[in-house]
Amino acid sequence: MELMQGAEHRALICSLVKAMRSEDSWAGETQIQKCVYFLQNLMAVPTGYEFILYKHGPYSFDLQRELAVMRARLQLDIEPRYNYGPSFTLGPRGELDIERVASHNSAIEFVAKKLSTKNVRSLERLSTVFFVQTENSDLDDNQVARRVNKLKPHIPIPTALEAVEEVNELRDMAS
Amino acid sequence: MVSLAVKQYHEIRDPIHDFVKLDSDERRVLDSGPVQRLRHVHQLAMSYLVYPGATHRRFEHSLGVMELAGKLFDTVTAADNIHDLPSDMVTEMRSDRRSYWRKVLRMAALCHDIGHLPFSHAAEKELLSDDWDHERFTVELIQGNELAEIWSSMKPPLAPEDVAKIAVGPEKMKNVSFSNWEALLSEIISGDTLGVDRMDYLLRDSHHAGVAYGRFDHHRLVDTVRVLPVSQESDEPTLGLESGGIHSAEALLLARYFMFMQVYYHHVRMAYDFHLRQFLQAWLPSGRFSTDTDQHQRLTDNEVLYEISQAAQDPLALGHEAAGRIVNRNHFRALYTQTRQDKAVYGDPLTAMFNACVGKYGESKVHKSEYTQQAPAPEFPVVGSEGQVKSSHAISGVLHQVPIVDVGVLLVDPEIDKEASRWLNSNRETILSRS
């Protein structure tokens, strides 16, 4: 499948942020990063972003830059959130191109519904588990949990195992 | 006869930090070819043609980054400043590991810019192969023979890969895994808000350019940086602040905004960057910088400036026209500067203006130059006096309002700038409505 280009990328993020907000998600940067990661790797939406294991799990610097560019293009805006980091909302030009990515609406809605309202701690566990599973398809659930604990020592093995179960359920639902 | 001990510490005077202190190992790295080359790479490319004082080089910036990196490391690892941290991180802060990583960090800070091409960022993106950037040169040079020999002779020896990782960070070494601790050390250098690279360049560039915009209370900022969980909803450690430093951080972010708008993306500097790229494209073999590290080391601003002055005098020389524009100050002039309001109403006014001007005057007379800041919304954890960690946005009323730097300028040949200005004024609304 052909990878998305700039305008399609931006339309996808606008559409995702809109769906996240309608689920009452905070739509902070971490929520957007992890939702796009699942969109790409669980739902096979060809965003083409490169993710590495970094802040709270898989993280794309390209996506980070895209979010900044979209603020400058007035497609996204940020607003403060009591006691927490900023939320993304659609800017004055945010709705304009959303129809371009209508074919991915069901994938976007799935991710928004299942993941976008989770807190940062939970998203870090789930996305790191899924990252380890995706990169190492030969590992069983226990090995995945141990690898997650090695990469992120602040996630204990039992907690990582619970996250493995949750990700496996998500995979079943998505397939 | 009295024998004097060999001096193990050295001081270098510096206009920003008064003195930069370094030990004998650091001095050997300072004296190496890759670091000495930075004496001949301008920090701000050709900004000195706009701000005459801005002739400073990457060399003194690298010393400043090393000085601040050491101070910030000492702050965050001081026993009184360590909050609740994961055990892996506490292990790295123990005395033997601590002194190893302190040395790695300072060396990485000293070397973080050694991969820069002539005139720093001015032509990097357009004139290097797609899979190369200055950070890749930095990694190659840190792991290259000359510096590897120095790393291995130290006691204890430093692993070249450790220095390279901390110097360029996880984004630029995608295939290498970073521990939380290593990611945090690289953040000390290149972190978006609390990284010392940015702190030093804002202060130094401001000082040399003679503008006050880049100043902020960096002493207070460095003293209040802590390692904290990202927020109360996460356990992952990162750089944050004690609440007393929040106004210094706000001042830094505003300083960054003003410096980018007023100095780094001044429209005349953008014009000179354009002419410099034109010259280099004509003069460099195949129109691109070599990716051979030996050739990279031999090419500095000095060699390029000499060639520019020669080419400006010789009508048959490669890049003669662009060289003449630089030497004779016959640079392109700003015809239209994009505004936030035009963007809100018209979407992409700069491209509309550019296309209309190209249609009217031809491609060779017009150039579109733009930059959009690609940094995330500045967010970091802040710990209050009662130990509760909150997002910086919950504490500050300023951070979420710092605008994104977004600059777009239409530049035209000075031969047509007056006529083009009249034409643009008469047709402005028609052109913009096409965007």
Side-chain angles (χ1 to χ4, degrees):
Chain A
M1 196 183 286
E2 204 170 311
L3 293 179
M4 290 180 162
Q5 300 297 318
E8 265 186 310
H9 269 156
R10 294 191 283 274
L12 181 86
I13 293 164
C14 286
S15 181
L16 175 64
V17 168
K18 188 179 176 185
M20 292 168 78
R21 301 292 300 201
S22 70
E23 294 291 332
D24 287 334
S25 164
W26 296 331
E29 190 192 339
T30 302
Q31 273 92 2
I32 296 174
Q33 283 271 355
K34 305 318 167 201
C35 283
V36 172
Y37 179 71
F38 277 102
L39 263 183
Q40 179 172 293
N41 293 286
L42 183 66
M43 309 305 290
V45 176
T47 71
Y49 288 119
E50 194 173 358
F51 284 86
I52 60 168
L53 208 55
Y54 184 48
K55 284 189 178 173
H56 309 306
Y59 188 88
S60 166
F61 285 93
D62 296 334
L63 176 55
Q64 173 208 291
R65 282 190 280 270
E66 195 91 86
L67 293 174
V69 169
M70 289 177 70
R71 285 177 63 204
R73 287 173 164 261
L74 309 176
Q75 291 171 305
L76 290 179
D77 212 343
I78 57 168
E79 58 185 32
R81 192 164 41 108
Y82 182 70
N83 265 356
Y84 295 97
S87 288
F88 281 85
T89 59
L90 290 189
R93 302 185 71 84
E95 293 266 8
L96 294 182
D97 279 342
I98 280 181
E99 279 309 306
R100 292 178 76 124
V101 292
S103 60
H104 299 300
N105 279 353
S106 59
I108 290 168
E109 279 162 24
F110 178 86
V111 165
K113 197 175 280 292
K114 299 292 178 196
L115 292 157
S116 74
T117 54
K118 293 188 181 295
N119 65 23
V120 170
R121 188 177 278 131
S122 174
L123 283 172
E124 178 183 19
R125 292 168 187 164
L126 296 177
S127 61
T128 305
V129 161
F130 190 48
F131 184 89
V132 170
Q133 285 178 334
T134 308
E135 301 286 309
N136 309 276
S137 54
D138 54 325
L139 298 185
D140 65 29
D141 289 355
N142 284 309
Q143 289 170 316
V144 168
R146 280 201 295 278
R147 182 71 60 89
V148 167
N149 171 257
K150 193 173 177 201
L151 291 166
K152 301 270 180 189
H154 55 277
I155 304 178
I157 291 174
T159 311
L161 262 173
E162 286 170 23
V164 171
E165 274 180 36
E166 202 176 336
V167 170
N168 290 343
E169 282 170 24
L170 274 175
R171 297 170 79 119
D172 289 343
M173 280 188 269
S175 59
Chain B
M1 190 171 136
V2 178
S3 71
L4 295 174
V6 177
K7 196 176 175 190
Q8 293 299 315
Y9 282 86
H10 317 273
E11 300 95 20
I12 297 173
R13 282 196 184 271
D14 179 77
I16 307 302
H17 307 297
D18 296 335
F19 284 100
V20 173
K21 292 179 184 161
L22 64 167
D23 66 24
S24 294
D25 286 337
E26 289 162 350
R27 190 154 134 173
R28 285 175 68 203
V29 176
L30 185 72
D31 288 343
S32 70
V35 180
Q36 286 294 311
R37 175 180 168 275
L38 297 180
R39 288 183 184 275
H40 311 296
V41 177
H42 286 91
Q43 176 78 13
L44 295 182
M46 289 187 163
S47 291
Y48 61 83
L49 294 173
V50 184
Y51 296 94
T55 56
H56 55 302
R57 315 300 169 104
R58 294 251 156 213
F59 182 77
E60 50 265 41
H61 164 63
S62 301
L63 280 166
V65 175
M66 181 179 74
E67 175 70 12
L68 284 179
K71 283 183 177 167
L72 205 149
F73 182 91
D74 292 344
T75 302
V76 299
T77 58
D80 289 349
N81 294 338
I82 297 175
H83 293 255
D84 206 12
L85 291 178
S87 58
D88 61 311
M89 201 153 278
V90 175
T91 305
E92 299 295 0
M93 290 185 180
R94 283 188 192 142
S95 59
D96 54 335
R97 298 296 294 159
R98 182 185 180 280
S99 60
Y100 173 81
W101 284 114
R102 187 179 192 277
K103 196 141 199 166
V104 166
L105 175 71
R106 281 176 56 91
M107 292 298 190
L110 183 58
C111 295
H112 81 286
D113 268 353
I114 58 178
H116 264 295
L117 295 157
F119 295 99
S120 300
H121 299 282
E124 175 179 326
K125 199 173 162 200
E126 293 81 0
L127 302 184
L128 262 182
S129 313
D130 285 345
D131 50 348
W132 278 83
D133 52 24
H134 79 265
E135 288 91 350
R136 184 163 169 190
F137 279 114
T138 297
V139 170
E140 300 257 334
L141 289 164
I142 287 172
Q143 297 181 331
N145 290 342
E146 183 174 355
L147 288 174
E149 203 172 295
I150 301 177
W151 311 133
S152 65
S153 67
M154 290 181 189
K155 288 177 187 149
L158 303 189
E161 190 182 74
D162 286 343
V163 181
K165 283 168 82 172
I166 308 309
V168 302
E171 186 188 1
K172 300 295 178 181
M173 291 183 85
K174 289 195 173 85
N175 299 323
V176 178
S177 97
F178 279 64
S179 67
N180 282 342
W181 173 249
E182 289 165 339
L184 187 126
L185 290 182
S186 75
E187 209 183 329
I188 288 180
I189 296 177
S190 53
D192 195 58
T193 307
L194 304 173
V196 293
D197 180 22
R198 173 158 295 129
M199 288 187 206
D200 187 84
Y201 78 62
L202 288 173
L203 295 166
R204 192 172 301 277
D205 297 346
S206 172
H207 171 86
H208 286 282
V211 299
Y213 308 114
R215 293 185 198 148
F216 58 95
D217 187 353
H218 72 286
H219 300 292
R220 181 68 173 150
L221 191 57
V222 168
D223 275 353
T224 50
V225 175
R226 302 286 181 270
V227 180
L228 299 172
V230 175
S231 68
Q232 60 202 76
E233 37 168 331
S234 164
D235 305 311
E236 189 174 271
T238 189
L239 288 185
L241 273 188
E242 274 204 347
S243 56
I246 192 72
H247 299 305
S248 310
E250 290 171 347
L252 177 144
L253 288 162
L254 287 167
R256 175 175 71 174
Y257 175 73
F258 293 134
M259 286 295 283
F260 270 79
M261 296 300 287
Q262 293 282 334
V263 178
Y264 305 141
Y265 287 92
H266 188 285
H267 61 92
V268 177
R269 154 78 194 268
M270 291 169 101
Y272 279 119
D273 280 357
F274 169 54
H275 298 312
L276 177 65
R277 281 195 299 274
Q278 286 181 310
F279 172 77
L280 288 167
Q281 266 162 349
W283 174 68
L284 288 169
S286 313
R288 285 183 167 238
F289 286 112
S290 166
T291 52
D292 176 88
T293 49
D294 289 337
Q295 287 192 42
H296 171 273
Q297 287 297 283
R298 285 196 291 271
L299 193 61
T300 70
D301 294 11
N302 291 355
E303 287 72 30
V304 175
L305 282 172
Y306 172 78
E307 294 296 338
I308 287 174
S309 73
Q310 295 293 301
Q313 296 169 48
D314 177 2
L316 298 177
L318 295 170
H320 166 71
E321 187 185 334
R325 289 197 185 277
I326 294 169
V327 170
N328 302 317
R329 297 192 66 82
N330 188 33
H331 57 82
F332 274 29
R333 305 297 200 257
L335 180 69
Y336 167 76
T337 302
Q338 174 181 276
T339 64
R340 187 176 163 83
Q341 193 181 13
D342 281 354
K343 273 187 107 164
V345 176
Y346 301 108
D348 190 1
L350 188 64
T351 302
M353 289 288 193
F354 174 74
N355 291 338
C357 271
V358 167
K360 173 84 176 163
Y361 298 106
E363 216 164 308
S364 63
K365 304 286 185 194
V366 187
H367 177 69
K368 180 175 73 161
S369 191
E370 55 193 325
Y371 168 79
T372 302
Q373 179 191 335
Q374 298 187 336
E379 191 196 356
F380 46 87
V382 180
V383 61
S385 53
E386 290 166 11
Q388 193 187 12
V389 177
K390 294 181 179 176
S391 162
S392 52
H393 282 257
I395 311 285
S396 166
V398 172
L399 292 180
H400 71 278
Q401 301 195 52
V402 178
I404 291 254
V405 177
D406 185 33
V407 185
V409 186
L410 189 65
L411 301 161
V412 295
D413 191 317
E415 273 180 12
I416 61 158
D417 72 325
K418 291 194 171 54
E419 199 271 321
S421 180
R422 283 191 292 275
W423 171 78
L424 188 72
N425 284 337
S426 313
N427 296 282
R428 183 187 159 88
E429 288 307 316
T430 316
I431 295 168
L432 286 176
S433 62
R434 284 184 215 141
S435 82

